[in-house]
Amino acid sequence: MSGLFLNFYQVDLSTKSIDLEYLNYADYESKEKFKELRDNNKDKYFHRSDDKIVYWNKNNASSDSLSQNRMSITDEDDPKVFSKIIEDSIITFLRSKPEYNIFKNKHASTWDIISKKDLLQGKIDGLVVNRIVHLSSYFFLKDETLIFGFTLSTSLKNSFTWTREDFIKNGIDVLGLKGDAQKIFSNKQSLKRFLESRGASSTYDTAIKQENSREKSFQVIDGFYNWIAKKKDEIILPSGIQINSIVKRYIPFENNLIKSEILPKPERYFYSNKTNTNGLKYYNDMVKNYKPYSLELYQNKRINFGIICPTEFQGETEAYLKRIEAKLKETFHFNDIGFTLITIASKGLEDYKKAVYDDNILKSDLIFVIVSKDHEKLDERNSPYHVCKAKLIGNGIPTQDIQVETIRQNTSDFTMTNICLNTYAKLGGTAWTIEKEEKIREELVVGIGSTTGDNGEHILGIAQVFHNDGRYIMGDCAPLSTFDNYATNLENHLFNTLKPIIDGIKKDETFRLIFHLYKSASEKYEITAINNLKNRLSGYNFEFALVHLGYGHNFRMYYNDGKYDTTQGTYVQLSKHSALLNFVAKSDLPLKIDLDKRSTFTSLFYIAKQVYWFSHLSHRSYMPSKRTVTIMYPSLMAKMTEELKKVDGWDYDRLKAVSEKLWFI
């Protein structure tokens, strides 16, 4: 047993200060000027340090100076410079090795070191799989101690060697597959279709399962580290700096500088605030035995379900609906369920459109839309599910799509249980809440997530969760924003949400806002919104925390070198403002929590526990989510709304009809 390992490799340098030349940043402030500077001096690395741009020569080679300005920098003055020097020097060394292709991954802030070796060994004609090692420098500042080093992680890269024409020649349908005129992109959809058409799914899955295992991932990065450590003397740093050592450490670091803790799971509360006093193992059994939190809203109410189903799927669908009825009665204690089945002649869009205007089905509380896997290839404008969802939302009716292929697979009890949980949430039900922590101050959590529009523009969704038990506030449907109107929308949304709350707060009391953000906070958006809110709420005091929650980082956690699961809730604080939190025991990828330094509430452990507890609120599954719902819900809502906007005759105001329901999960 080797304990918990964080994929950080410490680098000890021969000096703590360095003399570097610099340019004034003001002379290269525009992107165009800075790009021109780099393009004209490819033998140099440039790094901005406040109002200066420091630079050094690659491989420590002599070349013309660009400035007579020199400055001495210590690691404490500007640790980012030292961290950047370590990263750039290692990358320069790796570029000299012909067995690798090296690219900068701008989205993940890592360097991708891609092996040219095909892990499939040519077993699948038209497809290759390459190993990638991701490298990124990092430094810790914990308890006034600086530690420099780099992180290593690994992944696999699928690439088609066949062109679009090759796909067609070999009988593979290219309809709906993304790519360009010649190339098919190897995304999830195209890869699945390619493998199924070639009869190669089993060969591929066997190879990938082994290569993607945590133990294999640990072995890859550990082997890469050992090779780098042996070659450290060949890594050339500027100004004669040398690497004394590159070492790995298991947690805890010496003097408990970096250590791990296990966060407690929240208690779940059911009807009449009952908890799991009988020690039941499974969450769905808890809901069944202790009854759902919102039992009284539905127990004695007739629930009408509508079904839109092509006639060719009618037989299997009817049997499936009886299973859904039984599960809803058993788990959620419904006593009166009715079904209105509308059969349509074909799988064509026009038949679905006619069905959504049937007077009988419009009396439903929720409508199941039975679709086919073939419909996945259609765009939103021609998709039966998206068109039905868009039309029915305008009538205040949420929908649940079910593929006939799922019905025919004799769905497992686990899948059926989750489908029924989704259905209950879309009806507006709350299956459980989480543990309440009474606080001195009133607190509101604001979650902000995003999706990407067709033109690459970020679309942001905003949602709120009260602190006391995590219930989602759906009375005011969260607004969508682009970055052009994001600050104004956020300010107005906060003001309108807070108005009824602050009526019960004395002016000399302080309340708290905690923002869960999918991105880093900025002066232009979140800070501007908060400052304007303060002006509008003059006379009231509030403190705030801006918390960036993300997986776009290079940290990984391994227990016993990847042989064992990492305990769910494992918390590792890296510095005063950043920490890692493991959500999924079988995953090596933790959530990174970054607390903005401009925050006025800075209790990082408390915030991390809050984030962890909110992950137990997802009503897409009984199991805790990999993402806290404060980020997941607004992201899902933004994504679904962007899709529905493409349906003819639909507009955003239609969402007001279902604002009290989780229609988007």
Side-chain angles (χ1 to χ4, degrees), residues 488 491-493 495-496 531-538:
T488 301
E491 173 197 336
N492 290 334
H493 195 54
F495 180 76
N496 292 331
N531 288 336
N532 289 343
L533 182 66
K534 285 182 177 179
N535 293 332
R536 294 175 70 174
L537 295 177
S538 58

Side-chain angles (χ1 to χ4, degrees), residues 360-563:
N360 291 319
I361 206 168
L362 289 176
K363 299 174 184 177
S364 304
D365 297 293
L366 180 143
I367 294 176
F368 294 103
V369 182
I370 311 303
V371 294
S372 168
K373 197 171 187 62
D374 294 338
H375 290 137
E376 286 184 350
K377 302 176 185 178
L378 303 175
D379 60 35
E380 289 83 1
R381 188 185 299 271
N382 297 302
S383 162
Y385 174 65
H386 284 94
V387 170
C388 288
K389 192 174 192 72
K391 301 298 182 183
L392 291 166
I393 277 178
N395 290 288
I397 306 173
T399 60
Q400 176 82 41
D401 74 313
I402 304 176
Q403 289 187 352
V404 68
E405 288 81 4
T406 300
I407 293 174
R408 290 172 175 172
Q409 288 172 358
N410 192 24
T411 308
S412 68
D413 190 61
F414 176 80
T415 301
M416 179 66 70
T417 297
N418 283 340
I419 288 175
C420 289
L421 177 64
N422 273 227
T423 300
Y424 189 69
K426 287 182 177 181
L427 287 168
T430 301
W432 68 85
T433 61
I434 58 170
E435 185 173 345
K436 303 175 183 178
E437 281 196 323
E438 298 299 331
K439 305 177 182 70
I440 295 175
R441 294 178 176 174
E442 188 70 45
E443 181 177 281
L444 183 68
V445 177
V446 181
I448 299 173
S450 80
T451 189
T452 304
D454 288 345
N455 60 357
E457 185 179 38
H458 278 286
I459 309 297
L460 297 90
I462 305 169
Q464 315 83 31
V465 182
F466 273 122
H467 76 91
N468 59 346
D469 59 5
R471 277 178 293 174
Y472 181 59
I473 300 176
M474 292 168 285
D476 180 12
C477 194
L480 291 186
S481 306
T482 64
F483 279 116
D484 290 337
N485 57 15
Y486 167 43
T488 301
N489 277 0
L490 178 58
E491 173 197 336
N492 290 334
H493 195 54
L494 289 173
F495 180 76
N496 292 331
T497 302
L498 286 171
K499 276 200 308 182
I501 297 174
I502 62 176
D503 287 342
I505 299 175
K506 296 179 182 178
K507 287 202 171 184
D508 60 346
E509 293 180 352
T510 300
F511 62 94
R512 180 181 303 141
L513 299 176
I514 297 182
F515 295 84
H516 291 181
L517 308 172
Y518 82 99
K519 67 175 191 66
S520 299
S522 74
E523 188 74 31
K524 185 177 180 181
Y525 302 116
E526 291 84 4
I527 298 298
T528 294
I530 289 172
N531 288 336
N532 289 343
L533 182 66
K534 285 182 177 179
N535 293 332
R536 294 175 70 174
L537 295 177
S538 58
Y540 291 92
N541 298 314
F542 69 84
E543 57 188 10
F544 67 91
L546 295 164
V547 189
H548 176 204
L549 305 175
Y551 288 95
H553 59 82
N554 205 39
F555 284 105
R556 303 292 185 271
M557 288 183 185
Y558 298 95
Y559 192 75
N560 195 22
D561 299 349
K563 297 181 181 70

Side-chain angles (χ1 to χ4, degrees), residues 242-255:
Q242 294 181 331
I243 296 177
N244 289 337
S245 63
I246 304 176
V247 298
K248 71 175 182 180
R249 290 178 169 179
Y250 287 85
I251 291 178
F253 286 15
E254 59 185 273
N255 300 321

Side-chain angles (χ1 to χ4, degrees), residues 178-236:
K178 294 184 178 180
D180 53 33
Q182 294 297 321
K183 185 177 181 180
I184 299 289
F185 299 152
S186 56
N187 57 24
K188 185 177 180 180
Q189 180 190 20
S190 60
L191 184 63
K192 182 178 181 182
R193 193 180 301 178
F194 171 86
L195 292 170
E196 289 179 349
S197 298
R198 301 291 293 163
S201 298
S202 179
T203 300
Y204 176 85
D205 291 343
T206 300
I208 298 305
K209 182 178 181 181
Q210 171 60 30
E211 292 293 338
N212 265 340
S213 69
R214 286 172 310 181
E215 188 173 0
K216 179 66 175 181
S217 296
F218 176 84
Q219 291 169 359
V220 168
I221 65 171
D222 197 49
F224 196 86
Y225 147 71
N226 285 318
W227 178 71
I228 287 283
K230 289 177 182 177
K231 298 288 186 179
K232 67 179 179 62
D233 293 336
E234 298 179 33
I235 301 173
I236 301 173

Side-chain angles (χ1 to χ4, degrees), residues 6 46 75 109 114 135 147 155 171 176 211 215 243 308 347 363 367 372 443 487 495 515 526 615 619:
L6 184 65
F46 296 92
D75 56 0
S109 300
I114 307 174
L135 183 147
I147 300 178
S155 66
E211 292 293 338
E215 188 173 0
I243 296 177
I308 300 175
K347 296 187 293 182
K363 299 174 184 177
I367 294 176
S372 168
E443 181 177 281
F495 180 76
F515 295 84
E526 291 84 4
S615 73
H619 289 87

